[in-house]
């Protein structure tokens, strides 16, 4: 059977395959000038693996400086075998945004990460404390790990035990801008919806603490020297939640557009600061794209694209704020309860 294709179809104008990938420049030399052709792969920025790797850190503090936006690998970090300094954990800080983080084979480490656009994987690690904000978190084959986290999807654990989750409560310069750059919102956190792929019979493999994560005085000072603050301040922009119970909480909300994301978010942060000044406590917050929900769940949202909702405890008498907000009325309490059940029980994805 003969082929009906002509060689001309594969070699139109005498072009070679590699010529399709040439990077053309204004005023580039013509082939007859003798300059070698340049291709797209010749113009790629050279990647140094050392910029995205932390390994073999033992009983010391490393504030890793690298190129933001790429993946990060942390491996084989632990307390030293030297008896003179075995009391001291390894402390690793990478205060830049990342695309993905993998933590492998770490023992007795404190790891503080900037916002991650994708997933944080923790594997074969024990007796570590990790602070992170990310789109997804997964642990596998881990034991006795404390995780302070802000995550819009369910954290997932597998073949892990004695894992304790905390609401992320920290700040450092540029954290807010970095979170915005990777699409993370401070008022959305699914830490209470942990999923265990390998649940144990009897004692659960994880707990979610209502109390803030606490460090030793020495560890807290190490983080402070490196610009990371864990203690509450009036300038906090990530909500700090209370463990107290309130059978009659107050629900207030603001409405707006989906874009720009930070416009409505900045208004919510102003409300958060006013709530703290008034002595009220934050029980929960929700940042919701209303178009993704059944309209019957949010009749109070109207045609707005986005809703940020606060569940508060305490008196509104001292709440003074320059940002306009609305309170959930008695008529809207029934759909609100259905909305909260939906938001708290909704699976990721």
């Amino acid at each position: 059977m003969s082929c009906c294709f002509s060689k001309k179809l594969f070699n139109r104008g005498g072009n070679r395959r590699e010529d399709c990938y040439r990077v053309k420049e204004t005023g580039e030399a013509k082939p007859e000038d003798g300059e070698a052709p340049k291709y797209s792969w010749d113009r790629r920025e050279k990647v140094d693996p050392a910029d995205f790797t932390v390994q073999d850190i033992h009983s010391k503090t490393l504030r890793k400086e690298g190129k933001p936006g790429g993946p990060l690998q942390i491996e084989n970090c632990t307390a030293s075998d030297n008896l003179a300094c075995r009391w001291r954990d390894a402390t690793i800080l990478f205060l830049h945004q990342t695309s993905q983080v993998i933590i492998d084979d770490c023992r007795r480490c404190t790891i503080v990460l900037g916002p991650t656009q994708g997933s944080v994987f923790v594997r074969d690690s024990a007796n570590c404390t990790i602070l992170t904000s990310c789109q997804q978190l997964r642990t596998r084959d881990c034991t006795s790990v404390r995780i302070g986290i802000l995550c819009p999807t369910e954290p997932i654990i597998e073949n892990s035990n004695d894992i304790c989750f905390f609401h992320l409560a920290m700040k450092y310069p540029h954290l807010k801008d970095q979170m915005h750059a990777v699409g993370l919102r401070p008022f959305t956190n699914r830490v209470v919806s942990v999923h265990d792929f390998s649940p144990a019979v009897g004692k659960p493999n994880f707990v979610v603490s209502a109390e803030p994560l606490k460090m030793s005085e020495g560890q807290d000072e190490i983080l402070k020297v490196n610009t990371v603050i864990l203690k509450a301040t009036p300038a906090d922009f990530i909500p700090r939640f209370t463990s107290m119970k309130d059978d009659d909480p107050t629900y207030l909300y603001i409405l707006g557009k989906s874009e720009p994301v930070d416009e409505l978010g900045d208004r919510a942060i102003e409300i958060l600061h006013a709530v703290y000044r008034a002595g009220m406590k934050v029980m929960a917050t929700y940042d919701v794209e209303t178009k993704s929900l059944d309209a019957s769940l949010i009749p109070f949202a109207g045609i707005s694209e986005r809703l940020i909702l606060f569940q508060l405890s305490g008196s509104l008498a001292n709440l003074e704020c320059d940002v306009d907000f609305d309170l959930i009325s008695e008529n809207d309490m029934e759909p609100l309860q259905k909305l909260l059940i939906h938001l708290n029980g909704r699976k990721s994805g």
Side-chain angles (χ1 to χ4, degrees):
M1 185 175 181
S2 62
C3 177
C4 62
F5 294 108
S6 165
K7 289 184 179 180
K8 292 183 178 180
L9 291 176
F10 296 98
N11 192 24
R12 292 180 179 175
N15 291 335
R16 297 177 300 165
R17 176 185 176 88
E18 57 265 33
D19 289 336
C20 299
Y21 298 96
R22 286 189 58 197
V23 178
K24 296 182 179 179
E25 297 180 349
T26 304
E28 68 173 347
K30 295 180 181 180
E32 54 267 25
D33 292 336
E35 182 180 344
K38 296 178 180 179
Y39 304 102
S40 57
W41 49 81
D42 295 325
R43 292 306 185 93
R44 290 176 184 167
E45 185 177 0
K46 302 300 181 182
V47 175
D48 185 354
D51 290 336
F52 305 104
T53 304
V54 176
Q55 60 186 0
D56 301 320
I57 301 300
H58 304 301
S59 294
K60 67 178 183 179
T61 298
L62 171 69
R63 179 166 176 170
K64 173 70 173 175
E65 296 298 336
K67 297 180 179 179
L72 179 67
Q73 175 82 35
I74 301 174
E75 58 188 14
N76 193 34
C77 299
T78 184
S80 174
D81 290 331
N82 186 334
L83 292 176
C85 59
R86 289 185 71 175
W87 58 269
R88 183 179 176 186
D89 291 356
T91 302
I92 300 157
L93 304 99
F94 189 77
L95 306 183
H96 306 287
Q97 64 200 58
T98 58
S99 59
Q100 175 181 283
V101 178
I102 298 176
I103 300 171
D104 280 336
D105 299 302
C106 289
R107 305 285 185 275
R108 290 187 57 185
C109 294
T110 297
I111 300 173
V112 183
L113 301 171
T116 301
Q117 189 172 20
S119 297
V120 172
F121 298 94
V122 188
R123 305 181 298 200
D124 300 297
S125 297
N127 301 109
C128 291
T129 298
I130 300 169
L131 302 177
T132 180
S133 55
C134 56
Q135 289 290 347
Q136 183 186 53
L137 178 128
R138 299 184 70 119
T139 75
R140 182 177 175 86
D141 300 319
C142 293
T143 300
S144 300
V145 177
R146 302 191 305 165
I147 304 175
I149 186 173
L150 185 148
C151 186
T153 61
E154 298 171 327
I156 294 172
I157 69 172
E158 185 175 2
N159 293 334
S160 300
N161 63 82
D162 191 23
I163 310 298
C164 189
F165 289 92
F166 302 81
H167 288 271
L168 182 68
M170 75 169 181
K171 60 181 172 294
Y172 61 80
H174 309 301
L175 175 59
K176 178 174 174 288
D177 292 337
Q178 291 172 354
M179 287 180 59
H180 174 65
V182 301
L184 292 172
R185 303 180 183 183
F187 295 95
T188 298
N189 197 351
R190 297 290 307 283
V191 64
V192 297
S193 303
V194 177
H195 180 73
D196 187 354
F197 266 120
S198 49
V201 177
K203 184 180 178 180
N205 290 320
F206 71 93
V207 295
V208 180
S209 175
E211 300 297 328
L213 190 156
K214 295 181 179 179
M215 300 282 192
S216 68
E217 185 175 344
Q219 190 65 63
D220 199 53
E221 186 60 30
I222 290 174
L223 298 186
K224 185 177 179 180
V225 167
N226 285 279
T227 72
V228 176
I229 306 298
L230 300 186
K231 294 182 179 180
T233 73
D236 287 346
F237 70 93
I238 298 176
R240 294 175 182 263
F241 300 102
T242 181
S243 59
M244 66 184 297
K245 302 296 183 182
D246 191 331
D247 295 330
D248 188 25
T250 297
Y251 294 93
L252 66 82
Y253 64 94
I254 56 175
L255 300 168
K257 296 182 178 180
S258 295
E259 299 292 342
V261 172
D262 56 343
E263 183 176 290
L264 192 65
D266 286 345
R267 288 168 55 197
I269 291 171
E270 288 189 50
I271 293 175
L272 180 68
H273 293 167
V275 165
Y276 292 149
R277 290 194 300 269
M280 301 182 74
K281 303 296 183 181
V282 182
M283 301 178 69
T285 61
Y286 305 88
D287 190 338
V288 181
E289 293 289 341
T290 58
K291 62 185 178 182
S292 66
L293 299 176
D294 187 327
S296 65
L297 294 174
I298 43 173
F300 45 88
I303 61 173
S304 298
E305 299 173 353
R306 186 176 169 205
L307 160 76
I308 298 181
L309 175 70
F310 291 77
Q311 181 180 348
L312 307 173
S313 177
S315 173
L316 284 168
N318 297 322
L319 183 60
E320 298 181 359
C321 185
D322 293 333
V323 174
D324 292 331
F325 59 82
D326 292 295
L327 298 174
I328 297 293
S329 67
E330 289 293 331
N331 294 334
D332 290 323
M333 286 304 297
E334 183 176 349
L336 173 67
Q337 294 304 321
K338 293 180 180 178
L339 173 64
L340 295 180
I341 291 172
H342 175 78
L343 294 176
N344 291 326
R346 184 176 58 186
K347 300 296 184 182
S348 61

